[in-house]
Amino acid sequence: MATTERHRTFSHIVGFDDCPFPRGHRGDVAIVGTVFSGLRLEGVLSGRVRRDGVNSTRELIRLAGGSCFAGHLQLVLLQGIALAGFNVVDVPHLHAELGLPVLVVARRAPRREAMRRALLERIPGGSRKWALVERLGEMEPLAGVYVQRVGLSEAEAVAVIRATTPHGKIPEPLRVAHLIAGGVATGESRGRT
């Protein structure tokens, strides 16, 4: 008798992206979180993280864990491992603190060597940040995008991406967070997620 492996489904998801900012900007950068139930937008979260700083993990925990949506959330989606330049998220710590799986999604594989050089040569605290990047491992191609995942299986990650991506390649919570972030920061949204 064949057995079928059971996979969790994730219907309540929060996706985070940062607002665009000028190249020379220093200081805080706004971030946007969109809370979805299936493909329906349920709410929007917003916060701030320091450009190239160290507070992204703490701010994501505050926003997701302290919101009125916290009791229903089942998954966190991130548009890349860093916000506001090189404010690198400690994804395993985010997972542990929230008790939620975390899926990092990117349209293309990052240029790891360029990221390593930038962190180690130009960013204060860059060696600690590079250690966070290395700890999470390489991004893996999955369902037409590149991902890093903590707390969910490959099959669950594929199912989430397929269930939340009605248009293009990027899951709807990240696509909408990107659009809102662009509109808030520049007056109109544009560009691809």
Side-chain angles (χ1 to χ4, degrees), residues 86-127:
F86 286 110
N87 197 323
V88 178
V89 178
D90 183 341
V91 176
H93 183 69
L94 180 65
H95 164 67
E97 285 296 312
L98 292 175
L100 299 172
V102 180
L103 184 61
V104 180
V105 178
R107 183 179 290 281
R108 291 176 286 288
R111 299 180 339 214
R112 282 178 66 90
E113 183 52 31
M115 181 187 291
R116 185 189 70 76
R117 272 197 322 274
L119 283 169
L120 297 180
E121 295 172 9
R122 297 196 313 262
I123 305 297
S127 60

Side-chain angles (χ1 to χ4, degrees), residues 140-164:
E140 58 185 321
L142 211 61
V145 292
Y146 288 83
V147 304
Q148 292 160 308
R149 54 192 166 80
V150 176
L152 70 164
S153 71
E154 180 178 319
E156 289 171 333
V158 168
V160 165
I161 293 165
R162 288 184 178 152
T164 61

Side-chain angles (χ1 to χ4, degrees), residues 29-78:
V29 174
I31 61 172
V32 171
T34 57
V35 179
F36 274 73
S37 174
L39 291 175
R40 186 174 79 192
L41 178 64
E42 292 288 329
V44 176
L45 306 172
S46 66
R48 301 186 77 72
V49 297
R50 180 68 59 173
R51 164 82 190 264
D52 297 335
V54 295
N55 66 332
S56 60
T57 308
R58 185 172 58 250
E59 182 68 350
L60 292 175
I61 291 167
R62 184 187 75 77
L63 289 173
S67 76
C68 62
F69 307 104
H72 300 286
L73 292 177
Q74 299 169 321
L75 178 74
V76 177
L77 284 173
L78 300 177

